[in-house]
Amino acid sequence: INPLRARSSRCQMLITPALPEGKDFIAEELLESEMVCFYDADYRDPPKTIKEYIDSQYVDVRFGGTESSMMVLQPFDLKLLNTPSVTVSNFGALPPFIKGGELITTQLGLISDYTLQELDSAPLPFPTDPVKLYMVWHQHDDENPAHIWLRKKIKNAFNNLPSITNH
């Protein structure tokens, strides 16, 4: 996460797996989720080996042009992957590219109940660390009543999601 972008007055909060550097940020963990492979079982099987995974054509979610949803696949070496066949700007854009074809995507397993519910999912064919999502804000917003209200609403929304580990 670019600390300058996170410090700008236009960015009042981030929900992110990557904590910005600097002591002027406050972070609260919202949830933890495993990464899984999403695919269309009518058209393909999930990759069962690392080689099958690496050889698969995939869709990636890009944020701001440089940050990828795949950046959280630790300790997997992303340099092994092909360039994505398709990149999209949000999770809701994934199903139309995957449904009815051979493409896969790797995302947080918790969204299988929501945005990606029409896709099939399977564990990745290699171990990865669980991913934590954080709510991050700059300390200058910490005592702002409207910001406090918004953080409470976000925290409550995350606490009410079923089938995930909340914090």
Side-chain angles (χ1 to χ4, degrees):
I1 297 296
N2 180 335
L4 294 176
R5 187 175 95 194
R7 284 185 183 96
S8 82
S9 61
R10 289 180 23 206
C11 180
Q12 295 185 7
M13 183 180 305
L14 298 170
I15 296 178
T16 178
L19 295 172
E21 294 178 14
K23 295 181 181 181
D24 51 341
F25 294 104
I26 300 169
E28 186 172 334
E29 185 178 325
L30 293 171
L31 61 90
E32 183 175 278
S33 179
E34 298 291 330
M35 296 293 283
V36 300
C37 177
F38 290 92
Y39 64 101
D40 185 343
D42 291 334
Y43 287 84
R44 67 162 295 150
D45 292 326
K48 292 179 181 61
T49 66
I50 291 177
K51 180 174 179 0
E52 286 180 10
Y53 183 82
I54 290 169
D55 291 342
S56 294
Q57 298 298 308
Y58 70 98
V59 184
D60 192 14
V61 180
R62 297 277 171 143
F63 311 98
T66 58
E67 296 165 349
S68 164
S69 62
M70 301 285 282
M71 69 185 190
V72 296
L73 271 182
Q74 301 296 327
F76 186 77
D77 184 1
L78 295 177
K79 294 176 190 156
L80 298 173
L81 293 175
N82 297 315
T83 302
S85 298
V86 178
T87 60
V88 296
S89 62
N90 64 76
F91 299 106
L94 290 167
F97 288 101
I98 295 169
K99 199 77 177 151
E102 297 281 325
L103 296 172
I104 65 168
T105 191
T106 303
Q107 304 299 331
L108 295 171
L110 70 94
I111 59 177
S112 65
D113 292 337
Y114 305 97
T115 309
L116 304 183
Q117 67 187 10
E118 64 189 277
L119 300 176
D120 302 287
S121 64
L124 295 172
F126 50 86
T128 61
D129 296 337
V131 175
K132 293 180 180 184
L133 281 184
Y134 301 91
M135 177 171 49
V136 179
W137 63 96
H138 193 271
Q139 66 187 11
H140 64 67
D141 288 318
D142 198 41
E143 298 299 322
N144 178 320
H147 209 276
I148 292 169
W149 176 86
L150 179 60
R151 291 193 311 265
K152 255 187 213 176
K153 292 291 186 184
I154 291 170
K155 181 80 172 166
N156 286 341
F158 274 87
N159 285 337
N160 290 322
L161 293 175
S163 75
I164 62 170
T165 304
N166 292 299
H167 295 276

